[in-house]
Amino acid sequence: MTATAPLAPTPLTITTMPEPTSRLSRFVRRQGWTTGVALLLLVLLFWRSSQVPSFGAFEVRTITAGTMSLAFLAMAQSIIVISGGINLAVGSMMVFTNCLAARWMEGQSLGTCVALALVVIAIAMALSTLIGVVITVSGIPDIVVTLAASFILSGMALFVLSSPGGG
């Protein structure tokens, strides 16, 4: 029979508290995307103001309406690509939801427009969920499903708003 040595007590490890961080560093870490979009907007405003002699509210509206929507679209696509997929229907989804909003919001009050904006967002979420379910359940590659969905959504956008207009 072999004798085993008694187990020596293990020293206690002391855990130190992490160093406190500043409010700015916590904000940047938690709101990185928001900070990036705000910085992009500031750069675009500065760039545009250096080109136009009379920079005013119209130029700010042009930048926010035209450029920032594309920036949001690129951010949505980048999240999908970073996670390992691809979605070719993001642009068509944006066009379709813009057509729905333009058709339904024409001549409506602010409260109604806010409610309709929430409905349009819910429709976009439902359609995106449907696309994701089709990809998951069928096993068809995401590039094929989203390409087909982009054609369908573009056609639906033309059906909703066949010519420029809306409100």
Side-chain angles (χ1 to χ4, degrees), residues 16-131:
T16 60
M17 294 294 290
E19 291 294 320
T21 57
S22 68
R23 287 181 182 223
L24 178 64
S25 66
R26 283 194 308 266
F27 177 80
V28 170
R29 187 175 61 245
R30 292 178 184 166
Q31 304 295 330
W33 283 98
T34 307
T35 305
V37 171
L39 289 174
L40 177 64
L41 177 61
L42 289 175
V43 167
L44 288 173
L45 287 173
F46 177 74
W47 172 69
R48 188 67 178 152
S49 67
S50 69
Q51 292 180 333
V52 178
S54 60
F55 187 76
F58 178 75
E59 285 77 19
V60 172
R61 183 193 170 282
T62 302
I63 288 173
T64 55
T67 309
M68 293 307 288
S69 60
L70 291 176
F72 288 135
L73 182 71
M75 287 170 39
Q77 182 67 1
S78 67
I79 291 171
I80 295 167
V81 170
I82 288 170
S83 66
I86 190 159
N87 187 352
L88 301 176
V90 174
S92 298
M93 180 75 71
M94 188 174 88
V95 168
F96 175 65
T97 55
N98 283 341
C99 287
L100 281 179
R103 169 63 75 103
W104 292 345
M105 290 183 186
E106 187 172 18
Q108 301 295 328
S109 68
L110 176 64
T112 305
C113 286
V114 170
L116 286 172
L118 295 174
V119 169
V120 168
I121 290 171
I123 290 171
M125 287 172 44
L127 289 172
S128 296
T129 302
L130 177 66
I131 292 169

Side-chain angles (χ1 to χ4, degrees), residues 99 103 156-165:
C99 287
R103 169 63 75 103
M156 289 170 56
L158 284 173
F159 180 73
V160 169
L161 199 62
S162 59
S163 64

